[in-house]
């Protein structure tokens, strides 16, 4: 996969994720999908199909709504074409609220693969989970009576 195709897909992913539509977001993944989360301990999950992933995306989208996330800005995008049909994309996402205030940032790396439906994400490595949990906990604490 060439750099231009990978960058175009990343733009589509960014726009789609900004819609906060779990079904549309899930459609940009290939299954089974490997998800590696690093919370200090690395956890590997194999997501067998879109139904399971849509539920996970729904939880993330729900948390973004609680946090008031309206924008995710990619920074430091690095694309490494690996083969004619694959590429790696590494970047940092900066999440912001409607006033442009930072919510949190996290690192992610995506393995993109060519499919009959176009490029799709076949694997994700990220360090978002602890940042998401901390942000939600902070909001929850602020809203306690």
């Amino acid at each position: 996969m060439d750099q231009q195709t990978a960058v175009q897909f990343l733009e589509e992913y960014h726009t789609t994720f900004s819609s906060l539509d779990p079904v549309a977001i899930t459609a940009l993944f290939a299954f089974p999908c490997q998800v590696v989360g690093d919370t200090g301990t690395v956890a590997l999950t194999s997501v067998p199909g879109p139904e399971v992933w849509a539920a996970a995306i729904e939880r993330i989208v729900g948390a973004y709504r609680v946090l008031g996330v309206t924008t995710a800005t990619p920074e430091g995008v690095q694309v490494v074409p690996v083969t004619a049909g694959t590429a790696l994309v590494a970047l940092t996402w900066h999440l912001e609220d409607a006033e442009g205030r930072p919510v949190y940032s996290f690192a992610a790396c995506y393995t993109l693969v060519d499919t009959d439906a176009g490029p799709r994400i076949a694997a994700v490595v990220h360090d978002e989970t602890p940042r998401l949990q901390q942000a939600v906990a902070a909001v929850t604490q602020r809203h306690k009576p």
Side-chain angles (χ1 to χ4, degrees), residues 79-141:
V79 176
V80 179
V82 179
T83 68
T86 64
L88 299 175
V89 178
L91 69 147
T92 299
W93 290 108
H94 299 286
L95 305 182
E96 299 173 344
D97 67 15
E99 283 81 42
R101 293 180 299 229
V103 178
Y104 65 88
S105 299
F106 69 96
C109 182
Y110 305 97
T111 300
L112 304 183
V113 298
D114 278 333
T115 71
D116 290 342
R120 294 294 182 263
I121 298 169
V124 181
V125 178
H126 68 88
D127 66 354
E128 181 177 21
T129 302
R131 289 156 178 76
L132 178 63
Q133 291 171 338
Q134 289 169 354
V136 169
V139 166
T140 302
Q141 283 291 357

Side-chain angles (χ1 to χ4, degrees), residues 6-93:
V7 169
Q8 286 172 339
F9 175 81
L10 181 62
E11 289 170 5
E12 177 184 5
Y13 181 69
H14 177 228
T15 300
T16 303
F17 217 107
S18 296
S19 74
L20 299 180
D21 177 349
V23 174
I25 296 164
T26 300
L28 296 177
F29 287 79
F31 299 95
C33 182
Q34 298 298 307
V35 180
V36 179
D38 191 340
T39 62
T41 302
V42 176
L44 174 62
T45 304
S46 182
V47 181
E51 306 80 21
V52 174
W53 193 234
I57 294 294
E58 182 66 49
R59 287 189 297 276
I60 294 168
V61 164
Y64 283 8
R65 287 187 176 119
V66 167
L67 297 171
V69 173
T70 59
T71 306
T73 304
E75 182 180 278
V77 176
Q78 298 175 5
V79 176
V80 179
V82 179
T83 68
T86 64
L88 299 175
V89 178
L91 69 147
T92 299
W93 290 108

